[in-house]
Amino acid sequence: MTTPLDTTAAAGSADSSGERIQDVDVADEMQGSFLEYAYSVIYSRALPDARDGLKPVQRRILYQMTEMGLRPERGHVKSARVTGEVMGKLHPHGDSSIYDAMVRLTQSFIMRVPLIDGHGNFGSLDDGPAAARYTEARLAPAAMAMTADLDEDVVDFIPNYDNQLTQPEVLPAAFPNLLVNGASGIAVGMATNMAPHNLIEVVGAARHLLENPGASLDDLMSFVPGPDLPTGGTIIGLSGVRDAYETGRGSFKTRARVSIESITARKTGLVVTELPYMVGAEKVIEKIKDGVASKKLSGISDVTDLTDRRHGLRLVIGIKTGFNPEAVLEQLYRYTPLEDQFNINAVALVDGGPKTLGLRELLQVYLDHRISVITRRSRYRLARREERLHLVEGLLVAILDIDEVIQVIRASDDGEQARVKLMDVFELSQLQAEYILELRLRRLTRFSRIELEAERDQLRTEIAQLRELLGSPTRLRELVSNELDEVAERFGTPRRTLLTEARPSVAAAGTRKAGVILELADVPCRVLLSTTGRAIRVDLGDPSALSADRAEPARRRSRHDAIRSSLTTTSRTEIGAITNLGRIIRFSPVDLPVAPENSIQLGAGRSIEEYMALSNRKERVLALVSLDSEQPVAIGTRQGVVKRVAAGNWPNRPDFEVIALKPGDEVVGAAQGSDSDELVFITSLAQLLHFPASSVRPQGVAAGGVAGVSLGAKDAVVFFSSIDPADAVVATISTSSITLAGTDPGRAKVSAFTEFPGKGRATGGVRAHAFLKGEDSVSLAWVGPAPALAVGTDGSLRKLPEAGSKRDASGTQLDAVIGSIGTSL
């Protein structure tokens, strides 16, 4: 049978070997040991001191590096050497814990004002640092402000772990490091977590509190409105920040800084340039991939990390076509670390014990410490200057009567007798007499006397100033304030984190709401392709707005490019773009720039070639066609071939050939129309041929078409389209083929379409323009509904002659070159 352990105390007893065995209460022993461990963790490891904002290991690292002379203007040394010195002299713990603390002091993405200047791989939020034997370090300029004046008795020194050396109990800390750089640590039964702040703002609040000891929290928050995180980002919701400043406990949410940009002409992306504090890019990417795989996230096509040292963080999240970027971003905020929460628990050591502090208390503890530092420094400097003045006055006495001093010394039997005689004869102190005895002969010059008198006067002035400073608490506070201002000017940087009030997410966590509509609405629209190759979408809203009679007044008020092709559709419907290489490319206009119908500006929209991402620079988009329409598509080529493609049954491919072109041939025009339309060719030798569209039988996409117009030698088609003959006009511009393109404006003519008689297919047509001397070709032609709209080569509008010229007239001389002609809306 097992006997229970007796935990009660018992008297000690001796065994046969004479050893004494002491019985102890296990519960009391465990409690005592745990309390000792907890005390050690709280006071010696995990919690920062409220005065300098440093944990013991951090303080020992900075102090030891100062003792090693690792100043900013000197070279870096191996980190392993630093950790070894700290471990051997001050911090009897593992070198890995020392190196981890040292690494944190170098990381600019954690520290708002880094205290160590690291050289080498000191890690990132996603990856750890290289080993201590590979990296190098030295003190940063800000660390010199933390350790300044240590040799002037500004703080108490305490023994190290083996009582062989001493170390500062706290650093002088020329700026409020705890607020500026924050802190985090887990002790036994308590923890601390403090956010970094802007140095300039914190110093402003500290100086205000010095001048106004009764300042309220609102007064201080006018200087420090919220944390300023090293990685930037946006803080949303300031109520939690105020709670933390008031009670020492609170929380706030941080969001990444994201912009919606065009990655390519047809693709929109979310570009992340700043992440929440302590969130790495790899963590975000991993969460996005998990969210897409679990179908929590929709509308994301890819994620690319383009971060580099030159441009900084750049995380590009591709958005699928047809999805609303703003809605996708809100979804990312909800399910990924692009939105994160930071909990403030401002626990620090005050007078040797842990205490939860608000903003005012943190500033007050620091200011009390700084006033103590300045007071002790002033007393130390006063004592040193008084000692020096005492010696200088003794030297001046000796120099003024140096011959008698020498005689007294020569007449003395030994140094002790000489010292006593000097004290008696010249009324000197023992210290002065000893200093005179050690005087070198080179100090007996006339110049040395002048130097000593100047030094005496300077010392007397400084002593008076120091006594006045120590006697006036107001002057002490002014000096503290001025030194804080100097530090802020040296090390302060502009605010990085944007502060905003809270705004609701798409759906709050834990609530059950209808699913968020991520895809863009499928609204009625018109897609316009200008003669300059730019495409734009005009949303019409109500389907009844598609009627011409209601839209016409708005169209007349528009300013826009000449229109080459237009199509009424919906924003998510797939349409086709016909190119000069005989291809139809499928695309959706959902990502095209949108403009109100009555305010389309000249040159608006996006280059259609860029939007379609055409890889061949020689390929151009000529027309837009509906893939759902029952009307055939008419195509005309430079070599005079015509083809009507039967509607429907289009190949289910992103792009496909719509006509089999002969070698050297290309498409010059295309349009979608009914059998009642007229197919029109205009050639470079000024021949115009039109015939009914019904005379051309529709063919499949693989066919090569039939003869459309008969061409002579050196003749080629410059214009083709399918038009409604009602109110149509013909515009032609003649020029010389031997002149440099774009230099001769030429002669323009606008005639009514009814002036041109129809002919049969595959004939030569009729003359459309009479050439004058020196002219031999039509450089530009167009047929369509009046009025014709011309655009110059620079994209500006140009004026054409009034319609009414005879079909074979020679036209009117132009004053500027015209690059294209089209129709108005």
Side-chain angles (χ1 to χ4, degrees), residues 6 10 48 80 113 131 138 155 180 273 284 300 382 384 402 415 421 423 444 516 556 558 609 705 809 814 822:
D6 185 6
V113 180
R138 64 184 177 190
V155 295
V180 172
T273 54
V284 174
I300 298 174
L382 176 62
R384 299 290 83 75
I402 190 62
K421 287 184 178 181
M423 294 172 60
L444 302 179
V516 181
R556 292 174 181 168
S558 301
E609 280 80 17
L814 294 172

Side-chain angles (χ1 to χ4, degrees), residues 253-318:
K253 287 187 176 181
T254 59
R255 281 186 172 182
R257 189 164 296 188
V258 186
S259 60
I260 300 174
E261 300 181 12
S262 295
I263 302 174
T264 65
R266 296 182 63 184
K267 188 174 183 180
T268 302
L270 303 174
V271 179
V272 182
T273 54
E274 295 176 3
L275 287 172
Y277 187 50
M278 301 300 290
V279 174
E282 289 187 10
K283 181 179 179 182
V284 174
I285 294 173
E286 181 182 355
K287 289 294 184 181
I288 291 176
K289 290 180 177 179
D290 292 343
V292 172
S294 62
K295 301 190 182 303
K296 287 184 178 180
L297 299 176
S298 303
I300 298 174
S301 61
D302 56 79
V303 183
T304 307
D305 189 359
L306 301 180
T307 303
D308 57 30
R309 292 186 178 180
R310 181 176 180 182
H311 301 96
L313 176 69
R314 187 174 177 83
L315 191 63
V316 181
I317 304 171

Side-chain angles (χ1 to χ4, degrees), residues 481-502:
S481 178
N482 293 336
E483 290 188 357
L484 281 172
D485 186 47
E486 293 175 3
V487 170
E489 186 175 352
R490 285 181 60 196
F491 306 116
T493 55
R495 167 170 280 276
R496 299 175 186 173
T497 302
L498 178 66
L499 303 177
T500 64
E501 288 297 338

Side-chain angles (χ1 to χ4, degrees), residues 713-737:
K714 298 183 180 180
D715 199 4
V717 176
V718 295
F719 175 84
F720 171 82
S721 187
S722 174
I723 67 162
D724 182 351
D727 296 328
V729 294
V730 178
T732 53
I733 297 177
S734 61
T735 186
S736 173
S737 60

Side-chain angles (χ1 to χ4, degrees), residues 190-502:
M190 62 185 65
T192 185
N193 197 35
M194 302 179 64
H197 290 75
N198 185 275
L199 174 61
I200 297 175
E201 296 174 355
V202 172
V203 166
R207 297 183 69 198
H208 181 76
L209 187 58
L210 270 174
E211 297 171 3
N212 305 276
S216 66
L217 178 61
D218 290 334
D219 295 336
L220 298 178
M221 286 189 67
S222 65
F223 294 93
V224 186
D228 185 22
L229 308 174
T231 53
T234 302
I235 292 178
I236 58 173
L238 302 182
S239 60
V241 173
R242 180 181 175 81
D243 291 342
Y245 288 167
E246 185 173 8
T247 66
R249 296 178 185 272
S251 65
F252 58 86
K253 287 187 176 181
T254 59
R255 281 186 172 182
R257 189 164 296 188
V258 186
S259 60
I260 300 174
E261 300 181 12
S262 295
I263 302 174
T264 65
R266 296 182 63 184
K267 188 174 183 180
T268 302
L270 303 174
V271 179
V272 182
T273 54
E274 295 176 3
L275 287 172
Y277 187 50
M278 301 300 290
V279 174
E282 289 187 10
K283 181 179 179 182
V284 174
I285 294 173
E286 181 182 355
K287 289 294 184 181
I288 291 176
K289 290 180 177 179
D290 292 343
V292 172
S294 62
K295 301 190 182 303
K296 287 184 178 180
L297 299 176
S298 303
I300 298 174
S301 61
D302 56 79
V303 183
T304 307
D305 189 359
L306 301 180
T307 303
D308 57 30
R309 292 186 178 180
R310 181 176 180 182
H311 301 96
L313 176 69
R314 187 174 177 83
L315 191 63
V316 181
I317 304 171
I319 305 298
K320 291 181 180 179
T321 300
F323 281 81
N324 188 339
E326 289 85 357
V328 173
L329 178 58
E330 288 293 335
Q331 203 180 37
L332 286 168
Y333 283 146
R334 183 182 180 191
Y335 291 112
T336 72
L338 288 183
E339 179 177 292
D340 198 21
Q341 181 164 304
F342 190 95
N343 298 313
I344 295 178
N345 187 26
V347 178
L349 297 177
V350 180
D351 296 329
K355 188 176 181 181
T356 303
L357 305 170
L359 176 62
R360 193 179 192 283
E361 291 77 14
L362 284 167
L363 290 172
Q364 191 62 59
V365 170
Y366 170 77
L367 291 175
D368 291 344
H369 168 62
R370 196 60 191 164
I371 291 173
S372 171
V373 167
I374 299 300
T375 302
R376 293 181 61 164
R377 186 185 69 187
S378 300
R379 289 173 180 168
Y380 177 86
R381 291 178 177 178
L382 176 62
R384 299 290 83 75
R385 281 157 178 74
E386 288 176 342
E387 292 174 2
R388 179 60 185 169
L389 178 62
H390 185 62
L391 296 177
V392 169
E393 288 175 342
L395 285 176
L396 284 172
V397 170
I399 289 177
L400 289 174
D401 203 356
I402 190 62
D403 293 335
E404 187 175 353
V405 169
I406 294 175
Q407 183 63 33
V408 169
I409 295 174
R410 293 184 63 183
S412 302
D413 295 334
D414 53 27
E416 179 63 24
Q417 186 180 22
R419 180 177 61 80
V420 173
K421 287 184 178 181
L422 286 176
M423 294 172 60
D424 293 340
V425 175
F426 298 102
E427 298 182 354
L428 298 175
S429 68
Q430 181 178 345
L431 186 64
Q432 288 174 324
E434 290 178 352
Y435 194 69
I436 291 172
L437 289 173
E438 296 175 358
L439 183 67
R440 295 184 179 184
L441 293 178
R442 64 182 178 184
R443 296 294 306 274
L444 302 179
T445 63
R446 181 180 178 184
F447 184 70
S448 294
R449 174 185 171 184
I450 296 174
E451 283 184 333
L452 288 172
E453 289 176 345
E455 184 181 359
R456 177 197 61 194
D457 297 339
Q458 178 66 27
L459 287 170
R460 287 175 177 174
T461 302
E462 292 178 358
I463 289 171
Q465 291 175 347
L466 287 169
R467 286 174 176 170
E468 182 182 359
L469 177 65
L470 290 169
S472 173
T474 302
R475 291 287 305 278
L476 273 173
R477 299 172 81 89
E478 287 179 357
L479 180 58
V480 171
S481 178
N482 293 336
E483 290 188 357
L484 281 172
D485 186 47
E486 293 175 3
V487 170
E489 186 175 352
R490 285 181 60 196
F491 306 116
T493 55
R495 167 170 280 276
R496 299 175 186 173
T497 302
L498 178 66
L499 303 177
T500 64
E501 288 297 338

